[in-house]
Amino acid sequence: MCVYVYLMKASVIGCLQRGSTNSLAPCSILEVGPSFWTCLSPPALSSTVEQLVTIIQPHLTERSRGCSVLLVGPNGSGKVTAIKAACRRLHLHLLKVDCVTLCGDTAAACESKMKAVFHKAELHHPCVLLLRNLQLLSQRRDGTEMDSRVVSALCQLIADSHSRVHFLWSLGLVLYTNLFGLLRSYPHGASAQEEEDLCVCGVTIMAADFTKALESLQEAHSQAIGAPKIPSVRWQDVGGLQHVKKEILDTIQLPLEHPELLSLDLRRSGLLLYGPPGTGKTLLAKAVATECSMTFLSVKGPEVINMYVGQSEENIREVFSKARAAAPCIVFFDELDSLAPNRGRSGDSGGVMDRVVSQLLAELDGLHSSSDVFVIGATNRPDLLDHSLLRPGRFDKLVYVGINEDRESQLQVLKAIVRKFKVDPTVNLSDIVEQCPPQLTGADVYALCSDAMMFAIKRKILRISEGLESEDSVLTLCAEDFSQALDVLQPSVSEQELHKYKLIQQKFTTK
Ligand SMILES: Nc1ncnc2c1ncn2[C@@H]1O[C@H](COP(=O)(O)OP(=O)(O)OP(=O)(O)O)[C@@H](O)[C@H]1O
């Protein structure tokens, strides 16, 4: 903005004209956009704005050489909104520059772009130069290390700046903007004008809408950081396995409901489920987490192993610290044998696995002091595990999760699984079970149902093409679909394999 000032001397007839000079910018009353965000004190950001004003204001004198502020906060938390409000309050010009536009192919190119920006800022003084995403300037193009030449050029430019330019970096550690404060401040704290702005599109925003939005925000956040959540598997989804359910509940639910057991040292923090694949070990662990309202952190053994020295141990530490942060939490280690094989036997160079086992043991031992983290391990081969894992206080409770060998338990599993499907009421589930092979895992029963579903879909497509059914009719599984699925059903665990698992079970129950 240019303001021309004319001085008139009464004694001299004439007019003196001075060169144009910059000055403070009057706060515009014709702001574009809803006033909710452009007011002088945006909700939940007012303390940040206040801090910025307090820092900058003393430097608005002729002799001051300006100041610099580092502003840090997550994306979208209102850093720029706060800066704009502070500038409006202090009547300062604002020059916004995203540092991505300053990066060049070489350090020299970057330096000259920075100089141009600083020069422009000086031309507009008194002014705030906002450098967004400052971290980009200090990185090399390949993102590997600090580009020291660019960093020192930047420091020099700040030091050399003789004008009243105030630098605001949108990264740093001085001020924090608070997104959750913003959400908390609304809807109860919104003024009539603010509400009007939000309702400008004619929709009334209710408190429930905010709760829902907050839930999805938290969900997205926990997904982004990989935080554990409470699963949605209920006991009814697990067919049979009554004795296993009871064992798990005794180990996990009892201490949760009776914390006094902890002081008696009667608490187990680890439980090992073992048995053939597909028998419902993961499902059980999820169901117990849901029923006890605990978060569930599933870790597959091989995922934790990393080729870099020390990284696998670090991964284990991270798993447990995530679990502690999300307590009460169940950590589920699937394929535990690949994570904790017998030490000294694994034959890995450098003893990575030995260190991983030691780290796991240290974390398990540490669980006694933290109350609400339980560990459930699952493996098909408990005989391959490092023996120290099975000592008291660690995975000291071993529970065999076997396959369904009697018709009654197969029926229970089938009933639990068909809850998710729409089955014709004429279908007799007991008849289906009678036609099944004698030994079936839960996963086999699930495969039977999904095959039946596939046959039902094919049948429906045929009927639609013949004009006998419409597309929006409900897909229902009928007896014919199940009998077709039974024809292709193959048990996943053979007789010999089952025999081997039983030998392992005997070995561990007689210990
Ligand atoms: N008892 C059961 N009741 C209902 N469904 C079951 C049961 N057991 C297994 N299933 C079905 O089989 C699927 C696979 O089971 P799950 O992954 O829990 O087996 P697992 O024992 O953990 O296998 P693995 O040892 O291979 O990890 C489940 O998602 C579920 O659909």
Side-chain angles (χ1 to χ4, degrees), residues 233 235-241 245 273-286 300 332 334-335 378-380 401-402 404 409 412-418 420 441-447 501:
V233 179
W235 273 142
Q236 301 98 287
D237 298 323
V238 186
L241 304 173
K245 285 182 189 173
L273 304 177
Y274 71 102
T279 45
K281 297 182 283 296
T282 313
L283 197 70
L284 268 167
K286 280 189 180 168
K300 282 208 189 298
F332 180 71
D334 205 0
E335 303 175 40
T379 177
N380 307 135
V401 187
N404 309 291
S409 57
Q412 282 174 358
V413 176
L414 184 60
K415 278 184 180 164
I417 293 175
V418 294
K420 298 176 202 130
T441 64
D444 294 336
V445 181
Y446 186 82
Y501 285 116

